[in-house]
Amino acid sequence: MIPERPLFWKGIPLFHIRFFSRDFFGRLYFVLGQGLGDHVNGFRVLHEIRTRFPKAHCIVYADQRWEDLVCRISEIEIRWFPKAKDVLSREGTNNPYDQAHEEIRTEIRTMKEPSYLAYAHFPMPDRYARRETTLEATARSIGLSLKEAARPYLPVKAEDLAWAEGYLKEHALEAGKFVLISPYSWENKRWGKENFSRLIDALRDRFHLRTVVVSYPEIGPFGNTGVVCAYDLSLGQISGLMQLAGLYIGLDSGPSHMAAFFDLPMVVVFIEKRTFPFEVRPLTPLGLYVVESFFSTLSIPGVETVLGAVTFLLSLKKKSPIPECPMCTKLMQYVLSAADPVSVRLMCSCGSSIEHDRTSSVHVKKKTSCPATKIVEKTGYNFVEQSWTLETLRSVESSIETNAPERVDFLFSKTDKREWGVWDLPPGSLDIRPDSIWEWMWRKGYRIERIDLGQDMTRFSFARGKEEDRHHKTLERFRIPWGNTLLVAAEIQYLRWFSYETWGTPGSLVGIVKAQAELSSWPAEIRGCAWAAFLAQKSMRSFRWLIKGFLGGLKRQK
Ligand SMILES: [Zn+2]
């Protein structure tokens, strides 16, 4: 949901697009994140605001490393951050923001014209439960719903494209018939040069695609046949090549966010597990995100899995895009595993996954195990399935809608997330997670009645009730299995803040409380969330936030 009134962040008043007319003439501050990806995502909000409020005086704090792009945006006042740490040199600051915030705070206080902060790192605290990117969640804080424009923004120039066309000619490359690879990033996000090298050979052998590598020269040359090492290009030149490439493969790094601006199919390999891929993913409807090592015992995704993702992406016709999740309708963009060339297991951010088979005549792998046996019960109705398919789901759905049973139970077997990527299921098999079912049942008018934690199974019982009963039920607190811990939360609280069990780590729960406190809102909920975070993981950090949340709540009540 979009906030109904302007918020404050760390005491600084935020802009809110619904509260001002097109004639707004005041000052708006934008504090872009330090990285290249942060910049192109921030450009989106800047672009949308400038389009809606052409008379506003936009002041943008930016990093000089990306000057090439920043200076392309006309009619803004640019203020450079102090020098930042980067991939190559370890000198510089990791936090250039404090000084900017202080400056903004002072100016807003002293300026006569209306002045607001329009962009900084102030994403809404319910972003995890909504599985949003930081861009979407930050835009929402100022009342901006991006919809189709939920993509990074890149100021492109015609001369970039002209340069790239010349470059292709020079290297005997054909537009749309080459892959652009960006293999360099911070050490904890790298996939390894050897893996990229194997990928480049496989792309040539299987798809007759040549590869252009864009990188810092520090990675060293690639000796693969047909490869072009395009090192040390300007960001503009890279954007020119992106416009002509047929496919992009990269990491959780800046160039991937640049590529997401274009209608370019892309595969992004996620390595680092500290951030949630859904939060930092390059936003594009044409991308697949390989997260195999998040849901398997592998330390990094395998080459075959990345190739499987590429094969699947290249097999899609323009009119049959990446499939939607049958539970929540988001795109199933996360690749858990792939057995190229047979099948690829695609997951939605809600946790549900489906095995896709592109070649139905191909021999189906034997069924070896089943992730979750689920039983739906209702007097007179029993659905017992070893493994669900879309058909099972539809028949369950139509039974619920036609018969409106008083009570529906779902039984989930307890599974280790590190096994999700290796389930060997037949094509069409659907694995559904409790969060997916819970939200799905909520939309059908059912409320959770009880959760029975068994030895190997957990039973979620949903009930249809009168409106007042339902309201009462939403206040009751449940013990909810959540990763390797238990969350104590009421239904409405769970669905609003915590329904990201697929990705969640107990430590991340404090992040919700922190965001609530920084945006100084939700006084009634901050204590409940702080308490849930503390119970899920009793640490000094969660204890500190429990105290802060409690004091914050008291202060509000006065
Ligand atoms: Zn989903």
Side-chain angles (χ1 to χ4, degrees):
M1 70 223 75
I2 300 265
E4 286 163 13
R5 57 188 170 75
L7 300 171
F8 278 80
W9 180 68
K10 295 184 174 177
I12 308 175
L14 298 192
F15 192 59
H16 193 299
I17 64 165
R18 281 201 217 146
F19 276 69
F20 300 94
S21 75
R22 208 179 145 74
D23 291 329
F24 174 80
F25 63 91
R27 296 159 77 89
L28 296 178
Y29 296 88
F30 297 80
V31 183
L32 303 180
Q34 228 178 1
L36 172 59
D38 299 320
H39 270 53
V40 293
N41 281 300
F43 287 166
R44 170 55 69 187
V45 174
L46 179 60
H47 174 75
E48 298 295 324
I49 295 284
R50 286 178 74 235
T51 312
R52 288 169 171 81
F53 304 95
K55 293 179 189 165
H57 173 192
C58 296
I59 299 158
V60 180
Y61 285 83
D63 191 300
Q64 205 144 11
R65 285 173 297 169
W66 325 121
E67 185 177 11
D68 184 9
L69 295 179
V70 179
C71 290
R72 292 175 172 207
I73 302 172
S74 57
E75 292 167 38
I76 57 168
E77 180 187 328
I78 304 166
R79 295 181 185 175
W80 299 115
F81 285 139
K83 187 180 161 12
K85 256 189 203 149
D86 64 39
V87 183
L88 298 176
S89 79
R90 297 300 156 107
E91 287 160 29
T93 174
N94 240 347
N95 179 10
Y97 312 114
D98 286 350
Q99 195 185 326
H101 296 155
E102 208 37 60
E103 236 170 67
I104 294 167
R105 215 187 297 268
T106 311
E107 289 188 14
I108 287 181
R109 234 186 353 244
T110 50
M111 287 292 160
K112 282 208 181 79
E113 61 200 304
S115 309
Y116 300 93
L117 180 60
Y119 187 84
H121 188 76
F122 47 66
M124 299 283 276
D126 56 349
R127 65 189 184 276
Y128 296 155
R130 300 164 72 100
R131 275 98 58 188
E132 279 176 332
T133 56
T134 308
L135 168 59
E136 293 165 297
T138 310
R140 207 155 50 79
S141 319
I142 57 160
L144 178 62
S145 166
L146 291 170
K147 298 195 179 95
E148 292 80 35
R151 304 276 284 265
Y153 180 82
L154 206 56
V156 285
K157 280 185 183 169
E159 65 196 52
D160 300 328
L161 189 58
W163 174 87
E165 280 164 350
Y167 191 87
L168 258 54
K169 213 177 266 173
E170 204 180 305
H171 293 91
L173 289 156
E174 214 181 314
K177 299 277 173 60
F178 71 96
V179 186
L180 199 68
I181 285 187
S182 176
Y184 206 66
S185 184
W186 295 89
E187 210 167 330
N188 53 340
K189 295 179 179 183
R190 287 182 205 160
W191 190 44
K193 193 179 171 191
E194 182 54 32
N195 287 326
F196 274 109
S197 179
R198 284 175 56 199
L199 190 64
I200 291 168
D201 284 341
L203 288 167
R204 190 198 56 221
D205 296 346
R206 297 191 199 176
F207 306 104
H208 310 292
L209 289 170
R210 283 177 65 197
T211 298
V212 175
V213 183
V214 287
S215 172
Y216 290 114
E218 277 70 10
I219 196 167
F222 281 82
N224 312 64
T225 312
V227 78
V228 177
C229 296
Y231 295 170
D232 262 349
L233 300 183
S234 72
L235 295 175
Q237 290 168 332
I238 293 174
S239 78
L241 288 176
M242 283 171 173
Q243 292 173 66
L244 298 174
L247 177 73
Y248 170 90
I249 303 172
L251 302 168
D252 170 22
S253 70
S256 301
H257 291 271
M258 283 173 63
F261 171 68
F262 301 104
D263 284 334
L264 174 64
M266 57 194 286
V267 173
V268 181
V269 185
F270 280 89
I271 308 289
E272 196 248 0
K273 300 198 175 86
R274 231 177 28 180
T275 42
F276 303 135
F278 69 80
E279 207 187 358
V280 293
R281 74 200 164 96
L283 252 175
T284 162
L286 304 174
L288 286 180
Y289 315 112
V290 180
V291 294
E292 186 178 37
S293 50
F294 287 68
F295 301 97
S296 71
T297 51
L298 297 173
S299 57
I300 57 169
V303 176
E304 281 303 317
T305 305
V306 177
L307 265 176
V310 167
T311 312
F312 181 78
L313 208 52
L314 293 179
S315 75
L316 294 175
K317 304 280 178 301
K318 275 238 160 67
K319 280 186 184 140
S320 64
I322 293 168
E324 275 184 5
C325 172
M327 305 304 295
C328 76
T329 73
K330 283 185 195 286
L331 296 183
M332 302 188 92
Q333 293 181 289
Y334 303 83
V335 177
L336 283 187
S337 62
D340 185 75
V342 182
S343 59
V344 56
R345 172 167 285 277
L346 295 182
M347 188 181 82
C348 170
S349 60
C350 75
S352 291
S353 66
I354 195 160
E355 189 81 12
H356 274 272
D357 180 21
R358 297 172 311 280
T359 45
S360 53
S361 59
V362 172
H363 171 68
V364 169
K365 294 179 292 177
K366 65 183 191 306
K367 199 162 106 184
T368 53
S369 62
C370 174
T373 310
K374 303 176 198 78
I375 306 167
V376 185
E377 295 171 345
K378 185 248 158 206
T379 325
Y381 290 87
N382 278 313
F383 299 93
V384 183
E385 290 287 331
Q386 284 302 302
S387 70
W388 279 36
T389 61
L390 282 175
E391 282 63 46
T392 325
L393 180 69
R394 285 196 195 107
S395 80
V396 170
E397 182 165 37
S398 97
S399 171
I400 291 173
E401 284 171 3
T402 319
N403 305 302
E406 282 304 312
R407 211 179 131 182
V408 186
D409 286 4
F410 292 87
L411 212 61
F412 289 88
S413 63
K414 284 186 182 156
T415 49
D416 188 335
K417 281 182 198 174
R418 286 168 304 180
E419 286 172 11
W420 290 11
V422 297
W423 285 320
D424 214 358
L425 294 168
S429 297
L430 186 62
D431 180 40
I432 306 176
R433 309 308 310 173
D435 276 357
S436 321
I437 284 285
W438 200 338
E439 289 180 2
W440 190 71
M441 289 299 282
W442 173 275
R443 286 196 297 273
K444 297 194 182 309
Y446 283 79
R447 299 297 175 255
I448 195 85
E449 193 171 56
R450 53 184 295 158
I451 298 172
D452 295 315
L453 306 166
Q455 194 74 25
D456 307 309
M457 300 283 228
T458 305
R459 180 189 296 270
F460 286 76
S461 303
F462 295 89
R464 180 190 290 282
K466 290 189 200 117
E467 202 51 53
E468 57 268 28
D469 291 346
R470 280 202 228 157
H471 178 69
H472 176 72
K473 276 197 193 98
T474 56
L475 299 176
E476 191 185 327
R477 297 209 293 169
F478 298 90
R479 292 168 73 222
I480 306 154
W482 204 81
N484 52 7
T485 184
L486 279 177
L487 260 186
V488 181
E491 177 169 44
I492 201 150
Q493 188 189 18
Y494 183 82
L495 293 179
R496 183 163 186 201
W497 309 108
F498 306 132
S499 59
Y500 63 104
E501 192 268 339
T502 299
W503 309 91
T505 49
S508 67
L509 295 165
V510 175
I512 298 169
V513 183
K514 193 166 171 253
Q516 288 170 333
E518 283 180 352
L519 285 165
S520 50
S521 245
W522 309 278
E525 303 205 40
I526 189 165
R527 269 183 288 171
C529 288
W531 184 237
F534 177 69
L535 289 182
Q537 190 182 52
K538 295 189 181 74
S539 64
M540 272 314 289
R541 185 165 172 258
S542 63
F543 182 68
R544 220 169 33 239
W545 279 101
L546 182 64
I547 302 295
K548 279 189 196 174
F550 184 72
L551 293 177
L554 277 186
K555 211 158 63 187
R556 285 250 151 198
Q557 278 177 354
K558 280 180 190 167

